Amino acid sequence: MSESPKSLRELLELLQQEKQLLSFNREHALEPDLSAAAQAGQNIGETSPALMFNNLQGYPGKRIVLNTVSSWPNYALSMGLPKESSQQQIYQEVLRRWSDSPWELQEKTEQPPFMDNIIEGDDINLFELIPLFRGNERDGAPYITKGAFISRDISEPNNDDKENVSIYRVQAKGKNLLSAQFVPGHDCARHLSIAEERGENLKVAIAIGVPPALSVAACSPLPYEESEFKLAAALQDSPFEVYKSEHTGLNLPWSAEYIIEGEIIAGEREHEGPFGEFTGFYCGNRKMPLFKVTRVMHRDQPVFENLHLARPMSESDYIMAFNNGVAMHQELKTNFPGIKAVNALNCYGLVTIISIDQNMGGIAKSAALRAMTTAPGLISAKTVIMVDDDVDPFDMYQVMWAMSCNMNPQFDVSLINGLPSVGLDPASVPTGITAKMVIDACRPTAPDLRGNSKPKEDIVHPTGTGEWEQKLTAMIKAL
Amino acid sequence: MTQCVRCGKQNAEVMTEASDKSWILYSCPDCRYAWRTTEVVENRTREQFPKAFQWTDETMKSFTDFPRITTRKNKQ
Ligand SMILES: Cc1cc2nc3c(=O)[nH]c(=O)nc-3n(C[C@H](O)[C@H](O)[C@H](O)COP(=O)(O)O)c2cc1C
Ligand SMILES: [Zn+2]
């Protein structure tokens, strides 16, 4: 295991070394080339490289990188893990760092590189400063889709733990005007509500091109009073470097490529969208908060890192892949220590697959019900599939084996009506309400002794299989 | 002023131009649609813009606040 990259530039260098980055030095148009290339990369599949565009039509000196963490090797490398790591191996390491590594901020006073270029007031023109482009073809405007959106609870301005970093969709609306979508219940919606209650605007910042651990932390379901900067520190296994902005009072990631600062206007909403979401559908038809930009800063030769959203698997599925699962696991482990892994990577965990060492019949089903009431599970976990701990919940062939051979719908499927779901779930009726289902694909365990899929009677791998696996892997690598 | 591809009003403004003049980027202050002149034809011409995605004043008025606005509490 090597160190996790501490900046976007370090990550790009590592991806280049590991042959997980393609660079384009010939000129490319922004539309439709960039999104088409990103989608093509995602179609190619789960080992696809990052795409770096160094020559953009009409934007000399600017660069765009897409699909940075849009595959398992790139995710593994962004965490300092070997690029061959399996999903289960990455999951276990994320789980370990989340609970065991220090959650620590490092406040730097040295001037950050993004302060080499500062643009304020009337000189701000976002469309000129950033090579903004349309993502999906029916999106209403260019969007910033991988910005770390930073805000604070103004009733406790000095409490770093109540500072929030999230990824939100951000529409470009004018030279110095943006808008953002804060799903009710998400931390920034709460920060805005506190500010609006006082009739004050809310100071916010967007950091683009941040260390990969921060992008992952930013879309983790942390409780309100926990800091994503600190989680990023745990995930990258080293203190997270920030710089305190005198302009907004917010912590800014020290190595960011771009910083956009300004304020959300209290008491105002304006039509927004539509925007192609992670569900694979356009979502819009709402009025959302406006963000007036007051300062933009960027590094020399800045890299605009953006993300292409589409039906899974797209980059948003990769960067969120383990977050909801690990967060559920943390909540479940006290009551169900037999849980080995929680795969909640399918659309936010709308389908969740949990592996468990079930010490008594009925335990797996109980754990599934409990998963539906964890903080992340409450609005996801629509279908929870339970498998034994010798089944890798990230390996769909194994999960389908368990469903095929261990599950009898007469006994092993349970439906519960009228539970909450994420508003973006297109199948929820009315929006935000759904039935949920438990599928128990564990082998029946005493005292439940139905059927013939008995734990002690299945085929075990021949003696020495594990050693052979290591030997073959090494030989294949050396070919 | 230029006609907006999505809402048809005449108020779209130039946001920026390519350094080599190969494109212009417009944005409409009414509906906030933005487009570049080098995009696929449906995205830059009013006639070809897909009907299902057109917006009128009524469309925009029908939208609801998200999240809803918190009312100001008077200081005691
Ligand atoms: C690409 C991407 C786009 C997202 N867009 C939004 C969004 O527009 N609004 C939102 O509330 N959450 C969005 N999310 C999800 C949040 O980032 C995620 O749920 C996060 O955990 C929210 O954290 P919070 O509760 O601390 O605000 C997005 C996630 C990703 C990866
Ligand atoms: Zn318009």
Side-chain angles (χ1 to χ4, degrees), chain A residues 258-272:
Chain A
Y258 283 94
I259 298 287
I260 303 171
E261 295 178 288
E263 47 193 35
I264 303 290
I265 303 163
E268 277 193 44
R269 302 288 186 270
E270 191 190 73
H271 46 264
E272 190 264 8

Side-chain angles (χ1 to χ4, degrees), chain A residues 164 166-169 181 183 186-187 219-220 228 307 348:
Chain A
N164 182 67
S166 286
I167 296 181
Y168 300 127
R169 81 191 213 191
Q181 166 179 272
V183 170
H186 281 174
D187 290 354
C219 49
S220 301
E228 284 82 1
L307 164 161
Y348 235 61

Side-chain angles (χ1 to χ4, degrees), chain A residues 80-99:
Chain A
L81 299 172
K83 70 174 174 181
E84 304 78 15
S85 309
S86 70
Q87 293 168 54
Q88 170 88 262
Q89 284 166 334
I90 305 172
Y91 175 88
Q92 295 300 342
E93 182 60 17
V94 171
L95 181 69
R96 187 193 69 74
R97 291 187 196 174
W98 190 301
S99 30

Side-chain angles (χ1 to χ4, degrees), chain A residues 27 30-31 57-60 125 127-128 132-134 137-138 140-142 171 173-175 177 181-184 189 193 196-199 267-274 282 285-289, chain B residues 6 14-20 22-23 25 27-36 38-40 42-43 49-50 53 55 59-75:
Chain A
E27 184 178 273
L30 282 90
E31 297 95 0
Q57 186 185 36
Y59 281 114
N125 182 349
F127 292 100
E128 210 173 275
L132 296 168
F133 63 99
R134 193 186 312 279
E137 279 183 359
R138 296 288 90 73
Q171 181 181 348
K173 290 196 157 181
K175 290 181 180 175
L177 190 67
Q181 166 179 272
F182 311 135
V183 170
S193 172
E196 287 186 328
E197 203 167 85
R198 300 177 170 206
E268 277 193 44
R269 302 288 186 270
E270 191 190 73
H271 46 264
E272 190 264 8
Y282 287 97
N285 303 5
R286 282 167 162 164
K287 292 183 191 164
M288 297 194 188
Chain B
R6 173 163 72 179
V14 174
M15 290 291 109
T16 186
E17 262 183 278
S19 58
D20 59 3
S22 56
W23 48 257
L25 195 148
S27 170
C28 167
D30 297 304
C31 78
R32 305 291 188 187
Y33 182 73
W35 74 97
R36 207 184 309 270
T38 42
E39 289 195 54
V40 293
E42 308 92 85
N43 281 344
F49 187 81
F53 287 84
W55 282 9
T59 328
M60 290 181 264
K61 258 187 236 136
S62 71
F63 294 177
T64 49
D65 292 346
F66 188 85
R68 63 180 183 76
I69 296 170
T70 304
T71 45
R72 186 175 178 171
K73 279 205 187 126
N74 289 326
K75 287 218 177 92

Side-chain angles (χ1 to χ4, degrees), chain A residues 125-412:
Chain A
N125 182 349
L126 295 166
F127 292 100
E128 210 173 275
L129 292 166
I130 311 175
L132 296 168
F133 63 99
R134 193 186 312 279
N136 283 298
E137 279 183 359
R138 296 288 90 73
D139 288 354
Y143 275 76
I144 296 167
T145 52
K146 206 182 175 183
F149 201 106
I150 308 158
S151 61
R152 267 179 186 248
D153 182 333
I154 59 167
S155 64
E156 286 178 60
N158 297 318
N159 186 344
D160 279 339
D161 290 326
K162 288 195 177 174
E163 186 168 55
N164 182 67
V165 188
S166 286
I167 296 181
Y168 300 127
R169 81 191 213 191
V170 172
Q171 181 181 348
K173 290 196 157 181
K175 290 181 180 175
N176 62 356
L177 190 67
L178 301 168
S179 73
Q181 166 179 272
F182 311 135
V183 170
H186 281 174
D187 290 354
C188 195
R190 204 157 146 186
H191 290 168
L192 178 59
S193 172
I194 293 167
E196 287 186 328
E197 203 167 85
R198 300 177 170 206
E200 284 178 38
N201 290 348
L202 179 70
K203 292 204 166 80
V204 294
I206 301 174
I208 299 171
V210 300
L214 185 62
S215 303
V216 170
C219 49
S220 301
L222 279 191
Y224 184 67
E225 54 294 318
E226 283 181 17
S227 153
E228 284 82 1
F229 282 128
K230 293 183 181 176
L231 172 59
L235 292 178
Q236 67 178 21
D237 233 344
S238 70
F240 193 88
E241 296 175 349
V242 293
Y243 181 82
K244 180 76 108 200
S245 165
E246 77 298 341
H247 189 65
T248 50
L250 299 166
N251 282 315
L252 304 174
W254 195 85
S255 70
E257 295 289 326
Y258 283 94
I259 298 287
I260 303 171
E261 295 178 288
E263 47 193 35
I264 303 290
I265 303 163
E268 277 193 44
R269 302 288 186 270
E270 191 190 73
H271 46 264
E272 190 264 8
F275 178 69
E277 276 285 356
F278 71 97
T279 53
F281 294 91
Y282 287 97
C283 297
N285 303 5
R286 282 167 162 164
K287 292 183 191 164
M288 297 194 188
L290 288 170
F291 173 172
K292 179 147 193 305
V293 177
T294 52
R295 180 163 89 161
V296 179
M297 301 185 279
H298 66 83
R299 296 178 71 142
D300 291 335
Q301 295 250 305
V303 182
F304 174 40
E305 185 190 23
N306 220 34
L307 164 161
H308 181 70
L309 272 155
R311 197 162 83 182
M313 291 293 286
S314 84
E315 185 171 4
S316 96
D317 301 296
Y318 285 99
I319 60 173
M320 298 186 85
F322 304 112
N323 298 345
N324 276 352
V326 166
M328 282 191 205
H329 200 150
Q330 303 284 1
E331 273 191 64
L332 288 166
K333 68 184 182 193
T334 345
N335 300 123
F336 301 96
I339 289 181
K340 183 153 179 221
V342 180
N343 172 358
L345 72 77
N346 293 283
C347 287
Y348 235 61
L350 283 174
V351 173
T352 296
I353 307 162
I354 302 177
S355 61
I356 187 169
D357 174 9
Q358 180 176 226
N359 51 5
M360 195 177 80
I363 291 294
K365 210 179 264 180
S366 308
L369 294 170
R370 177 69 183 89
M372 290 174 182
T373 60
T374 56
L378 208 55
I379 56 161
S380 64
K382 182 163 64 170
T383 299
V384 180
I385 303 170
M386 300 301 298
V387 295
D388 288 306
D389 68 334
D390 62 348
V391 171
D392 179 350
F394 294 97
D395 179 338
M396 284 316 112
Y397 289 114
Q398 293 189 31
V399 173
M400 289 304 127
W401 167 77
M403 298 255 285
S404 306
C405 297
N406 301 337
M407 195 268 296
N408 179 337
Q410 188 184 350
F411 307 108
D412 297 323

